[in-house]
Amino acid sequence: MTNNNKKGFVLWFTGFSAAGKTTIADKVHELLKHNGNRLERLDVEIVRKNLTQDLGFSKEDRDENIRRIGFVANLLSRNDIGVIASFISPYRAQREMLRENVTNFIEIFVDAPIEVCESRDPKGMYKKARAGELKNFTGVDDPYEPPENPDIHLLSSEHSPDDLAKVVLSFLRTNDYID
């Protein structure tokens, strides 16, 4: 298999639930895979099922969830594998810890107003949280601390996922992560 990665990297998509993180990350993954890049995709569904099933959604559990994911992402990145991770990761301190400990960490803020995210809400999570059925839901009864200086800032309510995926690939090429 061809590897067009010049070095490993971790694309860390953060933002509210339904901001478009997974949609954009999937498009980036598809484009990079098509071009022969070595990649791993870390997504909440896969990780919660296989790596962090023992954790809940308290602040402490969320911190541990992100720490574990960061550990795995770092192992892959330092072995020249591109990692695409999409997690709300609501706390700034979590993401700063990742930046300090993960090789070639690239923070991508997928930014959409909470009202837009609620209108997109494919699983009805915001509705359940507003009704009190879900506790510690980011943006409802738990805070989201937006990145102060993300490496990439994507306005997902203003641009298409395809266009935003191209922004990410352009960043990777410009910063010599891929051919």
mmCIF file of all heavy atoms in Angstrom, residues 40-66:
data_model
loop_
_atom_site.group_PDB
_atom_site.id
_atom_site.type_symbol
_atom_site.label_atom_id
_atom_site.label_comp_id
_atom_site.label_asym_id
_atom_site.label_seq_id
_atom_site.Cartn_x
_atom_site.Cartn_y
_atom_site.Cartn_z
ATOM 1 N N GLU A 40 -6.234 5.996 10.495
ATOM 2 C CA GLU A 40 -7.161 5.346 11.420
ATOM 3 C C GLU A 40 -8.209 6.374 11.775
ATOM 4 O O GLU A 40 -7.918 7.557 11.946
ATOM 5 C CB GLU A 40 -6.451 4.867 12.689
ATOM 6 C CG GLU A 40 -5.599 3.643 12.493
ATOM 7 C CD GLU A 40 -6.371 2.400 12.096
ATOM 8 O OE1 GLU A 40 -7.562 2.264 12.457
ATOM 9 O OE2 GLU A 40 -5.779 1.541 11.427
ATOM 10 N N ARG A 41 -9.426 5.911 11.903
ATOM 11 C CA ARG A 41 -10.557 6.780 12.234
ATOM 12 C C ARG A 41 -11.013 6.442 13.646
ATOM 13 O O ARG A 41 -11.374 5.301 13.934
ATOM 14 C CB ARG A 41 -11.674 6.525 11.218
ATOM 15 C CG ARG A 41 -12.925 7.334 11.416
ATOM 16 C CD ARG A 41 -12.754 8.743 10.874
ATOM 17 N NE ARG A 41 -14.023 9.440 10.918
ATOM 18 C CZ ARG A 41 -14.462 10.102 11.982
ATOM 19 N NH1 ARG A 41 -13.747 10.163 13.083
ATOM 20 N NH2 ARG A 41 -15.636 10.703 11.950
ATOM 21 N N LEU A 42 -10.967 7.421 14.552
ATOM 22 C CA LEU A 42 -11.458 7.246 15.916
ATOM 23 C C LEU A 42 -12.734 8.050 16.056
ATOM 24 O O LEU A 42 -12.732 9.269 15.914
ATOM 25 C CB LEU A 42 -10.408 7.710 16.936
ATOM 26 C CG LEU A 42 -9.076 6.973 16.911
ATOM 27 C CD1 LEU A 42 -8.101 7.591 17.913
ATOM 28 C CD2 LEU A 42 -9.265 5.487 17.193
ATOM 29 N N ASP A 43 -13.811 7.355 16.330
ATOM 30 C CA ASP A 43 -15.127 7.975 16.427
ATOM 31 C C ASP A 43 -15.777 7.540 17.729
ATOM 32 O O ASP A 43 -15.490 6.453 18.245
ATOM 33 C CB ASP A 43 -15.963 7.541 15.212
ATOM 34 C CG ASP A 43 -17.337 8.164 15.211
ATOM 35 O OD1 ASP A 43 -17.446 9.350 14.873
ATOM 36 O OD2 ASP A 43 -18.302 7.452 15.556
ATOM 37 N N VAL A 44 -16.671 8.355 18.230
ATOM 38 C CA VAL A 44 -17.291 8.102 19.534
ATOM 39 C C VAL A 44 -17.955 6.725 19.612
ATOM 40 O O VAL A 44 -17.829 6.036 20.625
ATOM 41 C CB VAL A 44 -18.274 9.236 19.910
ATOM 42 C CG1 VAL A 44 -19.482 9.259 18.991
ATOM 43 C CG2 VAL A 44 -18.687 9.137 21.355
ATOM 44 N N GLU A 45 -18.627 6.301 18.575
ATOM 45 C CA GLU A 45 -19.327 5.014 18.604
ATOM 46 C C GLU A 45 -18.340 3.852 18.794
ATOM 47 O O GLU A 45 -18.546 2.973 19.618
ATOM 48 C CB GLU A 45 -20.123 4.800 17.307
ATOM 49 C CG GLU A 45 -21.098 5.905 16.961
ATOM 50 C CD GLU A 45 -22.314 5.958 17.870
ATOM 51 O OE1 GLU A 45 -22.745 4.906 18.361
ATOM 52 O OE2 GLU A 45 -22.832 7.077 18.083
ATOM 53 N N ILE A 46 -17.267 3.864 18.020
ATOM 54 C CA ILE A 46 -16.270 2.797 18.079
ATOM 55 C C ILE A 46 -15.529 2.821 19.415
ATOM 56 O O ILE A 46 -15.355 1.783 20.065
ATOM 57 C CB ILE A 46 -15.253 2.958 16.920
ATOM 58 C CG1 ILE A 46 -15.959 2.798 15.574
ATOM 59 C CG2 ILE A 46 -14.095 1.979 17.047
ATOM 60 C CD1 ILE A 46 -15.154 3.316 14.399
ATOM 61 N N VAL A 47 -15.125 4.004 19.838
ATOM 62 C CA VAL A 47 -14.336 4.135 21.062
ATOM 63 C C VAL A 47 -15.163 3.779 22.298
ATOM 64 O O VAL A 47 -14.696 3.048 23.171
ATOM 65 C CB VAL A 47 -13.738 5.552 21.163
ATOM 66 C CG1 VAL A 47 -13.141 5.799 22.537
ATOM 67 C CG2 VAL A 47 -12.687 5.755 20.078
ATOM 68 N N ARG A 48 -16.386 4.280 22.379
ATOM 69 C CA ARG A 48 -17.234 3.974 23.540
ATOM 70 C C ARG A 48 -17.531 2.477 23.620
ATOM 71 O O ARG A 48 -17.645 1.928 24.707
ATOM 72 C CB ARG A 48 -18.548 4.765 23.483
ATOM 73 C CG ARG A 48 -18.411 6.202 23.902
ATOM 74 C CD ARG A 48 -18.356 6.355 25.389
ATOM 75 N NE ARG A 48 -18.251 7.744 25.791
ATOM 76 C CZ ARG A 48 -18.151 8.133 27.036
ATOM 77 N NH1 ARG A 48 -18.135 7.256 28.013
ATOM 78 N NH2 ARG A 48 -18.044 9.400 27.328
ATOM 79 N N LYS A 49 -17.630 1.819 22.501
ATOM 80 C CA LYS A 49 -17.921 0.383 22.493
ATOM 81 C C LYS A 49 -16.702 -0.446 22.889
ATOM 82 O O LYS A 49 -16.831 -1.465 23.575
ATOM 83 C CB LYS A 49 -18.406 -0.037 21.103
ATOM 84 C CG LYS A 49 -18.723 -1.497 20.974
ATOM 85 C CD LYS A 49 -19.184 -1.839 19.566
ATOM 86 C CE LYS A 49 -19.392 -3.329 19.423
ATOM 87 N NZ LYS A 49 -19.627 -3.730 18.048
ATOM 88 N N ASN A 50 -15.505 -0.029 22.473
ATOM 89 C CA ASN A 50 -14.327 -0.879 22.610
ATOM 90 C C ASN A 50 -13.267 -0.415 23.608
ATOM 91 O O ASN A 50 -12.473 -1.234 24.060
ATOM 92 C CB ASN A 50 -13.658 -1.034 21.241
ATOM 93 C CG ASN A 50 -14.549 -1.736 20.259
ATOM 94 O OD1 ASN A 50 -14.844 -2.907 20.421
ATOM 95 N ND2 ASN A 50 -15.014 -1.017 19.248
ATOM 96 N N LEU A 51 -13.219 0.857 23.916
ATOM 97 C CA LEU A 51 -12.130 1.372 24.734
ATOM 98 C C LEU A 51 -12.599 2.037 26.030
ATOM 99 O O LEU A 51 -11.907 1.974 27.037
ATOM 100 C CB LEU A 51 -11.308 2.386 23.910
ATOM 101 C CG LEU A 51 -10.086 3.000 24.564
ATOM 102 C CD1 LEU A 51 -9.033 1.932 24.869
ATOM 103 C CD2 LEU A 51 -9.505 4.090 23.662
ATOM 104 N N THR A 52 -13.762 2.643 25.991
ATOM 105 C CA THR A 52 -14.189 3.427 27.156
ATOM 106 C C THR A 52 -15.610 3.082 27.615
ATOM 107 O O THR A 52 -16.309 3.915 28.167
ATOM 108 C CB THR A 52 -14.079 4.939 26.851
ATOM 109 O OG1 THR A 52 -14.951 5.270 25.781
ATOM 110 C CG2 THR A 52 -12.656 5.337 26.501
ATOM 111 N N GLN A 53 -16.013 1.840 27.395
ATOM 112 C CA GLN A 53 -17.367 1.436 27.754
ATOM 113 C C GLN A 53 -17.630 1.527 29.249
ATOM 114 O O GLN A 53 -18.778 1.589 29.681
ATOM 115 C CB GLN A 53 -17.705 0.034 27.217
ATOM 116 C CG GLN A 53 -16.933 -1.097 27.875
ATOM 117 C CD GLN A 53 -15.610 -1.397 27.194
ATOM 118 O OE1 GLN A 53 -15.078 -0.576 26.467
ATOM 119 N NE2 GLN A 53 -15.064 -2.563 27.446
ATOM 120 N N ASP A 54 -16.576 1.570 30.065
ATOM 121 C CA ASP A 54 -16.728 1.646 31.520
ATOM 122 C C ASP A 54 -16.935 3.074 32.017
ATOM 123 O O ASP A 54 -17.135 3.290 33.206
ATOM 124 C CB ASP A 54 -15.489 1.052 32.204
ATOM 125 C CG ASP A 54 -14.203 1.765 31.825
ATOM 126 O OD1 ASP A 54 -14.054 2.142 30.638
ATOM 127 O OD2 ASP A 54 -13.357 1.949 32.713
ATOM 128 N N LEU A 55 -16.945 4.062 31.112
ATOM 129 C CA LEU A 55 -17.039 5.459 31.513
ATOM 130 C C LEU A 55 -18.413 6.041 31.228
ATOM 131 O O LEU A 55 -19.066 5.686 30.253
ATOM 132 C CB LEU A 55 -15.982 6.282 30.760
ATOM 133 C CG LEU A 55 -14.521 5.873 30.992
ATOM 134 C CD1 LEU A 55 -13.608 6.685 30.093
ATOM 135 C CD2 LEU A 55 -14.145 6.014 32.459
ATOM 136 N N GLY A 56 -18.821 6.971 32.084
ATOM 137 C CA GLY A 56 -20.076 7.693 31.895
ATOM 138 C C GLY A 56 -19.808 9.063 31.292
ATOM 139 O O GLY A 56 -18.883 9.232 30.487
ATOM 140 N N PHE A 57 -20.587 10.062 31.711
ATOM 141 C CA PHE A 57 -20.492 11.387 31.119
ATOM 142 C C PHE A 57 -20.234 12.486 32.138
ATOM 143 O O PHE A 57 -20.422 13.664 31.843
ATOM 144 C CB PHE A 57 -21.741 11.683 30.278
ATOM 145 C CG PHE A 57 -21.829 10.789 29.070
ATOM 146 C CD1 PHE A 57 -22.536 9.595 29.118
ATOM 147 C CD2 PHE A 57 -21.170 11.117 27.896
ATOM 148 C CE1 PHE A 57 -22.591 8.756 28.014
ATOM 149 C CE2 PHE A 57 -21.214 10.275 26.787
ATOM 150 C CZ PHE A 57 -21.931 9.103 26.856
ATOM 151 N N SER A 58 -19.778 12.098 33.313
ATOM 152 C CA SER A 58 -19.366 13.112 34.282
ATOM 153 C C SER A 58 -18.107 13.795 33.758
ATOM 154 O O SER A 58 -17.449 13.281 32.842
ATOM 155 C CB SER A 58 -19.075 12.469 35.641
ATOM 156 O OG SER A 58 -17.906 11.668 35.549
ATOM 157 N N LYS A 59 -17.744 14.923 34.334
ATOM 158 C CA LYS A 59 -16.528 15.615 33.909
ATOM 159 C C LYS A 59 -15.310 14.697 34.058
ATOM 160 O O LYS A 59 -14.472 14.629 33.159
ATOM 161 C CB LYS A 59 -16.310 16.906 34.687
ATOM 162 C CG LYS A 59 -15.030 17.596 34.224
ATOM 163 C CD LYS A 59 -14.857 18.962 34.756
ATOM 164 C CE LYS A 59 -13.642 19.689 34.243
ATOM 165 N NZ LYS A 59 -12.562 18.978 33.659
ATOM 166 N N GLU A 60 -15.227 13.983 35.154
ATOM 167 C CA GLU A 60 -14.086 13.095 35.388
ATOM 168 C C GLU A 60 -14.034 11.991 34.340
ATOM 169 O O GLU A 60 -12.964 11.648 33.829
ATOM 170 C CB GLU A 60 -14.156 12.483 36.792
ATOM 171 C CG GLU A 60 -14.016 13.487 37.915
ATOM 172 C CD GLU A 60 -15.266 14.341 38.160
ATOM 173 O OE1 GLU A 60 -16.401 13.930 37.748
ATOM 174 O OE2 GLU A 60 -15.124 15.423 38.736
ATOM 175 N N ASP A 61 -15.195 11.404 34.034
ATOM 176 C CA ASP A 61 -15.238 10.344 33.023
ATOM 177 C C ASP A 61 -14.912 10.885 31.626
ATOM 178 O O ASP A 61 -14.234 10.226 30.830
ATOM 179 C CB ASP A 61 -16.589 9.640 33.020
ATOM 180 C CG ASP A 61 -16.737 8.652 34.170
ATOM 181 O OD1 ASP A 61 -15.761 8.418 34.908
ATOM 182 O OD2 ASP A 61 -17.854 8.107 34.333
ATOM 183 N N ARG A 62 -15.401 12.070 31.326
ATOM 184 C CA ARG A 62 -15.080 12.668 30.023
ATOM 185 C C ARG A 62 -13.581 12.926 29.908
ATOM 186 O O ARG A 62 -12.975 12.689 28.864
ATOM 187 C CB ARG A 62 -15.844 13.972 29.819
ATOM 188 C CG ARG A 62 -17.296 13.769 29.507
ATOM 189 C CD ARG A 62 -17.982 15.116 29.366
ATOM 190 N NE ARG A 62 -19.384 14.942 29.141
ATOM 191 C CZ ARG A 62 -20.073 15.598 28.209
ATOM 192 N NH1 ARG A 62 -19.467 16.466 27.434
ATOM 193 N NH2 ARG A 62 -21.352 15.388 28.075
ATOM 194 N N ASP A 63 -12.986 13.421 30.996
ATOM 195 C CA ASP A 63 -11.539 13.659 30.985
ATOM 196 C C ASP A 63 -10.782 12.360 30.741
ATOM 197 O O ASP A 63 -9.834 12.317 29.947
ATOM 198 C CB ASP A 63 -11.084 14.289 32.309
ATOM 199 C CG ASP A 63 -11.471 15.754 32.440
ATOM 200 O OD1 ASP A 63 -11.864 16.374 31.432
ATOM 201 O OD2 ASP A 63 -11.376 16.279 33.573
ATOM 202 N N GLU A 64 -11.188 11.284 31.409
ATOM 203 C CA GLU A 64 -10.525 9.994 31.232
ATOM 204 C C GLU A 64 -10.752 9.452 29.816
ATOM 205 O O GLU A 64 -9.838 8.883 29.208
ATOM 206 C CB GLU A 64 -11.008 8.984 32.274
ATOM 207 C CG GLU A 64 -10.403 7.600 32.149
ATOM 208 C CD GLU A 64 -8.883 7.540 32.293
ATOM 209 O OE1 GLU A 64 -8.251 8.518 32.743
ATOM 210 O OE2 GLU A 64 -8.294 6.495 31.928
ATOM 211 N N ASN A 65 -11.934 9.634 29.281
ATOM 212 C CA ASN A 65 -12.251 9.224 27.914
ATOM 213 C C ASN A 65 -11.279 9.890 26.930
ATOM 214 O O ASN A 65 -10.649 9.214 26.102
ATOM 215 C CB ASN A 65 -13.704 9.617 27.596
ATOM 216 C CG ASN A 65 -14.167 9.164 26.240
ATOM 217 O OD1 ASN A 65 -14.044 8.011 25.871
ATOM 218 N ND2 ASN A 65 -14.737 10.096 25.487
ATOM 219 N N ILE A 66 -11.114 11.189 27.054
ATOM 220 C CA ILE A 66 -10.235 11.931 26.148
ATOM 221 C C ILE A 66 -8.776 11.532 26.374
ATOM 222 O O ILE A 66 -8.000 11.404 25.422
ATOM 223 C CB ILE A 66 -10.442 13.453 26.316
ATOM 224 C CG1 ILE A 66 -11.877 13.851 25.914
ATOM 225 C CG2 ILE A 66 -9.408 14.242 25.527
ATOM 226 C CD1 ILE A 66 -12.294 13.447 24.506
#
